Amino acid sequence: MADRIGLDTTSERTLWRDRAIVEINRAVLYSFDSARVTITDHHSETLHRLAWLRTAPEEGTERPAFVAGGEADRRARKGAPACFPLVARTATARATGEPG
């Protein structure tokens, strides 16, 4: 894909992987918009999450800012639209070609 859109893949220093993933994300968002289907992006979800965290929690409840998985995550997400660590992960976090 990177070659097809003319990215310089001769060196990792060109950040071609990052640029390719951004273009794929843009294409996905465009196709959803064209089909009039709702999809979110990690920037919008980050803003939504921050706004949600700034609201007062329900009386008698605690709301940790960021919890990594398990039952605590399900409790912390009460009222939140998504599992934040999964949505807000950087686009290129797994684009290095390394296994796992």
Side-chain angles (χ1 to χ4, degrees):
M1 181 272 186
D3 289 332
R4 277 193 84 150
I5 65 171
L7 298 180
D8 176 3
T9 60
T10 60
S11 167
E12 294 300 325
R13 301 283 294 168
T14 65
L15 302 177
W16 67 268
R17 292 179 197 272
D18 300 84
R19 293 179 65 198
I21 289 173
V22 166
E23 292 306 317
I24 290 169
N25 284 337
R26 289 181 64 210
V28 168
L29 292 172
Y30 175 83
S31 83
F32 272 71
D33 289 346
S34 295
R36 299 178 63 123
V37 175
T38 302
I39 187 172
T40 192
D41 61 83
H42 61 284
H43 298 290
S44 298
E45 287 306 315
T46 298
L47 292 174
H48 182 93
R49 175 69 172 206
L50 291 172
W52 178 76
L53 289 169
R54 288 183 185 115
T55 63
E58 295 176 21
E59 191 167 327
T61 63
E62 292 185 24
R63 194 164 54 191
F66 298 98
V67 180
E71 183 59 32
D73 185 45
R74 283 187 283 286
R75 285 194 312 272
R77 269 196 349 245
K78 181 180 179 190
C83 179
F84 184 75
L86 294 177
V87 174
R89 186 168 294 176
T90 61
T92 57
R94 301 208 17 119
T96 60
E98 296 294 321

